[in-house]
Amino acid sequence: MAPTYTMAGGKGPNSYSQHSTYQRALLEVAKEKINEAISTKLDVNSASNRFNIADFGCSTGPNTFLAVQNIIDAVEEKYRKETQKNPDDNIEFQVLFNDHFKNDFNTLFQTLPPTKKYFLAGVPGSFFGRILPRDSIHVGHCSYSLHWLSQVPKGIADRNSPAWNKDIHCTGFSEEVVEAYQDQFKIDMGCFLRARGEELVSGGLLFLLGSCLPDGIKMSETMKGMLLDFMGNCLHDVAKEGLIDQEELDSLNFPIYPAHVAEFKSVIEDSGCFTIEVFERISHANEELPLDPAFLVTSHKITFGGILETRFGKEAMEKTMERIEEKCQDILPQLANAKSGMQYFIVLRKN
């Protein structure tokens, strides 16, 4: 069954819109790289008088608005230099915001920038398949979304399977579990790329930003992996208190897989849809999560609170978050010595 994981909606103190500075930092530092890619690798003349942009996995804002504006600014600058004309008089921008059906599109539309210079539409649906007309998009964007799989890999939640996973994520220490997650990633990423390959115009650009793993690093050796392991331990504590059924907890696996660099490149090349123009590590000021218990609890609640509440109930979810905050101080030294993950910036050009 397809996952229904979405970031916490609304505009309240525990919403994604109020707690997404980590993701925003990568968009800010990528602005100049996006400018350069559009300036040197995109033919704006092919857009005629309409230029279509799509953000896949837009969530609720405000980050998606920044991503879109970065692209528009770069296109306008290139158009102005090449034609000596005012883009305001000659280009009509249309932006398509895509995310899961359960995404909070109401908040997204309510918080649109008042100075926006584009027409827009919300496009609910999974981006693992084609959701937009063929050859309709000039620039696509996807940020911090591709580590989510379309489903938990086969065998992971089956006690009789050699790939049965006793943890809540792919730690990287079980070969069978890793292979199952790798296989699902290859399927999903391949579907994503083929769908975008149909939607983008020839020569169109696709920007991918997010987190992956350097080759040779296991997920549980990184801070994010350690935090997932820690949340799993806290869930087991709550199960011992009787608020969570242990068998139900044993079957919990998050469909999250930050691929290694080599895996990422291999899937892109195998798809045959795109040429890799840029694939590089990119750093930003908030690259490592702050070692602050309150921040870490809020981050967990925004990202995982919804599915934990749906699966185990609100009381169990709240108790788990309380336990994370109570015990978080104990793992701070371990987090401080974690191996570094990797933030990536990828530019793909439609073949």
Side-chain angles (χ1 to χ4, degrees):
M1 188 172 93
T4 57
Y5 304 132
T6 57
M7 300 299 100
K11 294 177 282 188
N14 291 321
S15 65
Y16 177 81
S17 64
Q18 297 297 315
H19 292 277
S20 54
T21 55
Y22 173 83
Q23 295 85 349
R24 184 181 183 90
L26 184 57
L27 296 175
E28 290 173 343
V29 77
K31 179 177 175 65
E32 290 306 314
K33 294 181 180 294
I34 288 174
N35 286 347
E36 181 181 357
I38 288 177
S39 174
T40 59
K41 304 180 187 301
L42 183 70
D43 180 8
V44 296
N45 292 327
S46 65
S48 185
N49 67 334
R50 172 174 288 185
F51 194 94
N52 295 331
I53 301 167
D55 189 24
F56 301 98
C58 63
S59 193
T60 58
N63 292 343
T64 187
F65 307 135
L66 175 62
V68 165
Q69 194 58 52
N70 286 349
I71 293 169
I72 290 176
D73 289 345
V75 171
E76 288 186 327
E77 181 179 353
K78 180 179 176 68
Y79 183 86
R80 194 178 290 111
K81 286 182 178 179
E82 289 191 351
T83 67
Q84 307 302 312
K85 296 179 181 179
N86 185 354
D88 291 342
D89 300 328
N90 295 280
I91 301 181
E92 177 183 287
F93 289 99
Q94 178 169 301
V95 178
L96 303 172
F97 294 102
N98 160 255
D99 212 310
H100 191 274
F101 289 99
K102 291 192 175 182
N103 183 58
D104 185 2
F105 282 98
N106 287 332
T107 294
L108 178 74
F109 295 136
Q110 289 169 5
T111 55
L112 281 164
T115 57
K116 67 178 179 63
K117 298 165 60 177
Y118 49 84
F119 298 97
L120 70 140
V123 186
S126 170
F127 59 36
F128 293 112
R130 185 165 67 87
I131 52 179
L132 302 171
R134 292 179 184 272
D135 303 320
S136 62
I137 303 300
H138 301 97
V139 173
H141 176 274
C142 185
S143 176
Y144 281 111
S145 298
L146 294 174
H147 56 285
W148 288 97
L149 303 177
S150 66
Q151 63 183 26
V152 174
K154 293 180 180 179
I156 291 296
D158 182 359
R159 286 178 175 271
N160 298 316
S161 167
W164 179 53
N165 190 23
K166 299 178 182 179
D167 301 293
I168 64 173
H169 72 113
C170 184
T171 63
F173 293 108
S174 166
E175 184 176 338
E176 292 82 6
V177 171
V178 169
E179 288 180 357
Y181 272 91
Q182 284 176 339
D183 289 345
Q184 189 63 50
F185 171 76
K186 291 176 183 177
I187 292 171
D188 290 342
M189 191 64 187
C191 289
F192 173 84
L193 291 168
R194 287 190 293 274
R196 305 295 80 79
E198 293 181 1
E199 294 166 343
L200 264 70
V201 300
S202 178
L205 298 183
L206 178 61
F207 294 104
L208 307 178
L209 298 89
S211 297
C212 66
L213 293 174
D215 293 335
I217 300 295
K218 295 179 175 61
M219 180 61 172
S220 285
E221 296 175 329
T222 68
M223 181 185 290
K224 292 177 182 177
M226 290 177 180
L227 286 168
L228 280 169
D229 291 334
F230 175 58
M231 183 169 67
N233 292 336
C234 291
L235 284 165
H236 281 285
D237 288 346
V238 176
K240 290 176 183 177
E241 297 178 19
L243 292 177
I244 295 176
D245 179 77
Q246 186 63 50
E247 287 195 14
E248 180 70 11
L249 176 56
D250 289 343
S251 68
L252 173 66
N253 284 273
F254 289 109
I256 297 174
Y257 184 69
H260 289 89
V261 171
E263 294 173 291
F264 234 125
K265 289 183 177 178
S266 176
V267 174
I268 294 171
E269 291 167 354
D270 288 346
S271 76
C273 301
F274 294 93
T275 297
I276 300 176
E277 298 287 350
V278 178
F279 193 126
E280 63 182 46
R281 186 172 196 144
I282 185 170
S283 297
H284 59 79
N286 297 338
E287 188 164 349
E288 297 298 343
L289 298 173
L291 299 178
D292 173 57
F295 175 89
L296 296 175
V297 171
T298 301
S299 177
H300 277 75
K301 194 167 187 178
I302 290 168
T303 306
F304 301 108
I307 186 58
L308 294 181
E309 182 174 341
T310 299
R311 188 135 183 180
F312 305 123
K314 185 173 183 179
E315 183 181 3
M317 184 275 288
E318 294 286 1
K319 190 68 175 178
T320 301
M321 297 302 154
E322 289 176 11
R323 185 58 55 90
I324 289 174
E325 188 165 16
E326 291 168 3
K327 300 178 68 175
C328 195
Q329 195 73 35
D330 298 338
I331 69 162
L332 294 186
Q334 181 183 355
L335 295 178
N337 292 316
K339 294 182 180 179
S340 297
M342 174 177 164
Q343 314 301 307
Y344 61 80
F345 175 75
I346 302 172
V347 181
L348 304 181
R349 192 171 191 271
K350 166 73 179 298
N351 291 333

